[in-house]
Amino acid sequence: MRAASPARADPAAQERPGFGARLTAPLLLGSLLNPLNTTMISTALVAIGHDFGVGASDTAWLVSVLYLASAVGQPVLGRLADSIGPRRVFLGGLVVVVASGLVGALAPGFGWLLVSRLLLGVGTSAAYPAAMAVLRGESVRLGRPTPRTVLGRLSFAALGSAAVGPTLGGLLVATAGWRGIFAVNVPVALLAYGSALRWIPKDPPRAGAKAAGGGGGRAGALDPLGILLFTGALCCLVVFLLDLRAPMWWLLAPTAVLGAVLTWWQLRHPSPFIDLRMLGANRALARTYLRHGLSYLVVYCVMYGFTQWLEEERGYSSLHTGLVMLPMSLAALACSLIGARTKGIRAPLTVAAVLLAAGSALLLGTSGATPLAALLITGACFGVPQGLMGTANQAAVQQYAPADAIGAAAGLQRTAQYLGAITASGLIGLAYGQRADDGGLHLMGAVGGVLALALIVLTVSDRALRSGRPGRPGRTKPAP
């Protein structure tokens, strides 16, 4: 392909083995840090509250601030990766992770922990969009699409690290205290930094990207005003969604105003942060974001809401609850590998949506007297879709996103996922109130069932998914 010819003229580029272990190892290592830290903190919140004399409402911000920083940071750093190069952004993010780990491990007060989690959200947000941009660059160099098995490893790293996060966190708290949860990021980030510095190829010159239609290569292409408007609108929306029991309705006004100004500016800017015109034309990519966000809204409702119900309504301990949820984690891990070996996108997404509907139906019939076997099956019904959706939607982003904007596109995919997680937190609070009970669980099951049916319709009716063939790497214009 013509897009690969400049790289092929480089002898060093010709010697690279393609999508081998050396290229993917640092990408996987860096990409696991964000999901690992989203779940690892759960076992340390009580200990942190006792040490600093703060309550549960305060320690909850340690979870929320990372979600907020990640939701904003993923597309911002993805855009930066498209502009100045993914290797630079990947390495810079790891430096921020090291700093955040040191700040958290040595924090003299609770406020410093919030700063640490904010830095951690920003630093870990660089890895996934930068990794997707690195893989797309390798795809362009080789003239063939990124193998689904490679994308599956990225999903496996994210799902696996999130699944083992509570267990690892509990082990660290028991052996090293809660500070160990922050300190463990330092050696992992340093290992990822060293391997990335050695094995990830240097970023190619970007001077000609603008002329080629890429829009990168100039600092002005970063659209700082667009980034600020996006950040402000998203922050207002996220804070509103975090507490739907007592919603701060006034936040909808600045959200709407900032969103309207952002839309006006993005349509006016020659190189916008979020290319709304491209998304309007590239409806396949826009539908991918919608599917991804709705899917994870349902999954996170179960991941957090079902576990809370198991402890408060069924009276299970944290250990027993973790064992009941184990089939969900194992199913997610196994199906991420299975999904990586499938060639199509539509089939795994359809199966995932159907199983989400089936799991939601099971929740409607679940009560305190439901047999343990049924609870295990219910968890597995949500684990299988989690694995299939991760790899299939990841492949869809690779297929439909313009080659010069893959980093920002991958970041927006994760933003959709985090918005689903934050909305799920609000729905759980709205459904349960002060205590998890059968009625709240049934309400979440009903909401999940409606969303799952909507996902089935969105997937089956999507004409872009019917071919099931991957797109050509290096494409700079969106598919119609």
Side-chain angles (χ1 to χ4, degrees):
M1 291 181 63
R2 290 183 180 179
S5 58
R8 288 176 178 170
D10 180 5
Q14 288 182 330
E15 294 176 1
R16 297 207 303 269
F19 301 100
R22 289 188 175 184
L23 176 68
T24 57
L27 301 181
L28 297 177
L29 197 57
S31 297
L32 64 80
L33 285 169
N34 187 275
L36 179 66
N37 280 282
T38 60
T39 59
M40 188 167 56
I41 190 71
S42 61
T43 56
L45 295 177
V46 174
I48 291 172
H50 287 165
D51 277 7
F52 290 113
V54 297
S57 60
D58 295 313
T59 57
W61 276 102
L62 293 174
V63 178
S64 301
V65 73
L66 189 137
Y67 275 134
L68 180 58
S70 299
V72 174
Q74 295 269 355
V76 171
L77 292 169
R79 177 70 172 179
L80 198 62
D82 294 330
S83 300
I84 67 173
R87 184 176 185 264
R88 295 184 182 95
V89 172
F90 189 88
L91 293 173
L94 292 172
V95 171
V96 176
V97 172
V98 171
S100 69
L102 293 174
V103 169
L106 302 174
F110 183 73
W112 285 99
L113 289 186
L114 291 175
V115 172
S116 173
R117 291 286 287 181
L118 178 65
L119 291 174
L120 191 60
V122 173
T124 57
S125 291
Y128 177 70
M132 292 286 278
V134 168
L135 294 176
R136 174 60 73 91
E138 194 69 4
S139 180
V140 171
R141 182 183 74 87
L142 297 173
R144 60 186 176 89
T146 303
R148 286 283 289 274
T149 52
V150 174
L151 297 175
R153 290 173 200 149
L154 275 180
S155 289
F156 186 84
L159 292 169
S161 56
V164 304
T167 303
L168 177 61
L171 180 62
L172 288 171
V173 171
T175 56
W178 60 261
R179 294 181 186 272
I181 286 181
F182 294 87
V184 73
N185 288 286
V186 176
V188 177
L190 289 175
L191 181 59
Y193 187 94
S195 58
L197 199 63
R198 181 176 178 84
W199 292 329
I200 295 180
K202 292 183 178 180
D203 297 317
R206 299 265 167 164
K210 183 72 177 176
R218 296 189 311 170
L222 289 178
D223 185 16
L225 179 57
I227 293 174
L228 287 174
L229 290 170
F230 174 81
T231 302
L234 191 58
C235 286
C236 292
L237 178 61
V238 166
V239 174
F240 172 79
L241 291 174
L242 282 175
D243 189 4
L244 292 178
R245 284 183 296 169
M248 293 180 280
W249 296 106
W250 63 269
L251 283 172
L252 295 181
T255 300
V257 171
L258 289 171
V261 176
L262 174 65
T263 301
W264 172 81
W265 178 248
Q266 297 305 275
L267 294 175
R268 183 174 181 268
H269 198 278
S271 182
F273 167 57
I274 301 175
D275 195 341
L276 296 179
R277 296 186 188 276
M278 182 276 291
L279 284 176
N282 193 342
R283 296 181 182 179
L285 183 60
R287 288 192 295 269
T288 298
Y289 293 149
L290 179 60
R291 280 194 307 267
H292 198 67
L294 290 178
S295 300
Y296 274 90
L297 195 164
V298 179
V299 167
Y300 278 114
C301 273
V302 176
M303 186 178 296
Y304 296 117
F306 190 44
T307 54
Q308 189 174 341
W309 177 85
L310 287 172
E311 291 189 36
E312 293 189 345
E313 183 68 19
R314 291 293 290 254
Y316 289 162
S317 66
S318 297
L319 176 61
H320 289 152
T321 297
L323 292 175
V324 172
M325 297 302 291
L326 186 60
M328 179 178 176
S329 299
L330 294 178
L333 293 174
C335 288
S336 67
L337 296 179
I338 294 173
R341 297 184 179 277
T342 60
K343 295 182 179 180
I345 297 176
R346 188 186 185 195
L349 287 177
T350 302
V351 172
V354 170
L355 285 175
L356 285 178
S360 298
L362 289 175
L363 286 181
L364 289 173
T366 299
S367 67
T370 300
L372 177 60
L375 299 179
L376 296 175
I377 293 173
T378 301
C381 280
F382 289 98
V384 172
Q386 193 177 353
L388 295 179
M389 291 181 309
T391 53
N393 285 323
Q394 202 168 241
V397 170
Q398 275 279 345
Q399 176 173 340
Y400 299 125
D404 58 290
I406 184 62
L412 285 173
Q413 179 197 358
R414 283 294 179 91
T415 296
Q417 178 176 329
Y418 286 123
L419 283 175
I422 293 166
T423 306
S425 299
L427 287 175
I428 291 170
L430 183 65
Y432 284 157
Q434 297 298 318
R435 183 181 183 277
D437 56 17
D438 291 347
L441 184 68
H442 295 162
L443 177 59
M444 284 193 293
V447 172
V450 171
L451 294 177
L453 292 176
L455 282 170
I456 294 174
V457 174
L458 281 172
T459 303
V460 174
S461 63
D462 193 341
R463 295 181 180 179
L465 297 176
R466 292 180 182 177
S467 64
R469 293 190 298 269
R472 296 174 62 189
R475 185 178 63 205
T476 57
K477 293 186 180 297

